[in-house]
Amino acid sequence: MSDKSTSFSIKNWSQDDQPREKLLYKGKASLSDAELVAILIGSGNRDESAVSLCKRILSSVDNNLSELGKLSIKQLMEFKGIGEAKAISIIAALELGRRRRGEEALQKKKITSSKSVFELMQPIIGELPHEEFWIIYLNNSNKVIHKSQLSKGGITGTLVDTRLVLKTALEVGAVGLILSHNHPSGTLVPSQADKAVTLKLKTAAQSLDIKVLDHLIVTENAYFSFADENLL
């Protein structure tokens, strides 16, 4: 049994089949998603190599890395050969990838369209299982100078702290605001609560000559813009 167990260790594969060696000699772009994940877990189980195991895990989520990132530690541990440490490694690596996308979007900074808002916010809220409401603060060149979470959970007018929004706007010197929240259900239809919150913040901001430029509803792959639909 021990011979069978060790025969699937990465160090016993041919060089072409070793993900670490392949990355070293052929570059990271040459590796498949399964091979990259295999490097994270290091070994498979008695019956399959790390790459085979990772192919099976990815197949369970239709080879979609975003869906893989949504699996919990418990769900990953249902696969033979994935213990708690390996599950944590996978989740940590995918979370780093998600954060990197967010940083890359933030580096663009200047908001030129609703699409640029989506690119900024999707990595942050697009895949969350719960709702979050965020405010993006802009200067007079439409560059992002600050962004912050306003509330977490369902959106209602009572959860929106208008004073906090305006206080922050004055502190950072913002002249424009963009509202953004996600719909975990995937629907892109604004609710009455969404519309009420938009009107509440727009009216309050106007008294300080601050404009609400847009409100985006963000889902994993798409968005709805109040400005594009002439709802502001």
Side-chain angles (χ1 to χ4, degrees):
M1 293 296 288
S2 61
D3 290 341
K4 187 175 182 182
S5 177
T6 58
S7 66
F8 285 106
S9 174
I10 287 177
K11 65 183 180 182
N12 292 318
W13 301 347
S14 66
Q15 183 168 307
D16 285 343
D17 291 333
Q18 293 180 29
R20 291 186 181 87
E21 298 295 325
K22 189 173 180 181
L23 188 151
L24 182 62
Y25 293 109
K26 296 183 180 180
K28 59 188 178 183
S30 68
L31 275 69
S32 66
D33 291 346
E35 289 171 328
L36 289 169
V37 179
I39 290 176
L40 295 173
I41 67 172
S43 61
N45 55 50
R46 289 173 180 246
D47 302 313
E48 57 191 341
S49 68
V51 172
S52 296
L53 173 57
C54 292
K55 284 181 178 178
R56 189 158 59 86
I57 295 172
L58 281 165
S59 178
S60 73
V61 290
D62 296 325
N63 296 303
N64 187 310
L65 289 176
S66 292
E67 293 301 314
L68 179 62
K70 295 178 183 179
L71 296 183
S72 66
I73 292 175
K74 182 178 179 180
Q75 288 173 314
L76 286 169
M77 289 176 64
E78 291 176 0
F79 292 90
K80 182 181 178 181
I82 300 296
E84 185 177 74
K86 290 180 179 180
I88 289 172
S89 293
I90 293 171
I91 289 173
L94 290 167
E95 175 62 14
L96 280 173
R98 186 192 68 80
R99 294 185 186 188
R100 180 184 177 185
R101 283 189 292 135
E103 289 181 358
E104 289 174 345
L106 185 57
Q107 287 171 4
K108 297 177 182 178
K109 290 189 176 179
K110 187 168 184 177
I111 299 299
T112 58
S113 64
S114 56
K115 182 179 179 181
S116 61
V117 179
F118 175 71
E119 290 171 348
L120 175 65
M121 296 305 301
Q122 194 282 334
I124 300 173
I125 61 175
E127 299 173 14
L128 295 178
H130 58 270
E131 285 192 22
E132 289 189 3
F133 192 96
W134 285 65
I135 306 290
I136 303 169
Y137 299 85
L138 308 176
N139 63 15
N140 56 10
S141 297
N142 282 345
K143 288 186 177 180
V144 177
I145 52 179
H146 184 68
K147 58 183 174 62
S148 62
Q149 181 195 99
L150 186 61
S151 68
K152 180 177 179 178
I155 295 173
T156 67
T158 57
L159 290 177
V160 174
D161 191 335
T162 304
R163 292 173 299 176
L164 178 61
V165 174
L166 298 182
K167 178 176 179 289
T168 303
L170 293 173
E171 288 175 346
V172 301
V175 298
L177 305 176
I178 293 177
L179 322 178
S180 180
H181 77 281
N182 61 312
H183 277 181
S185 65
T187 179
L188 290 173
V189 179
S191 66
Q192 288 302 316
D194 297 337
K195 295 176 182 178
V197 166
T198 305
L199 179 60
K200 179 179 180 179
L201 285 171
K202 179 182 176 181
T203 302
Q206 281 177 340
S207 64
L208 295 176
D209 292 326
I210 298 173
K211 293 183 178 179
V212 172
L213 301 174
D214 204 350
H215 182 172
L216 252 68
I217 297 172
V218 175
T219 64
E220 185 172 350
N221 300 307
Y223 66 92
F224 178 94
S225 164
F226 276 59
D228 291 351
E229 300 299 325
N230 297 314
L231 292 179
L232 282 178

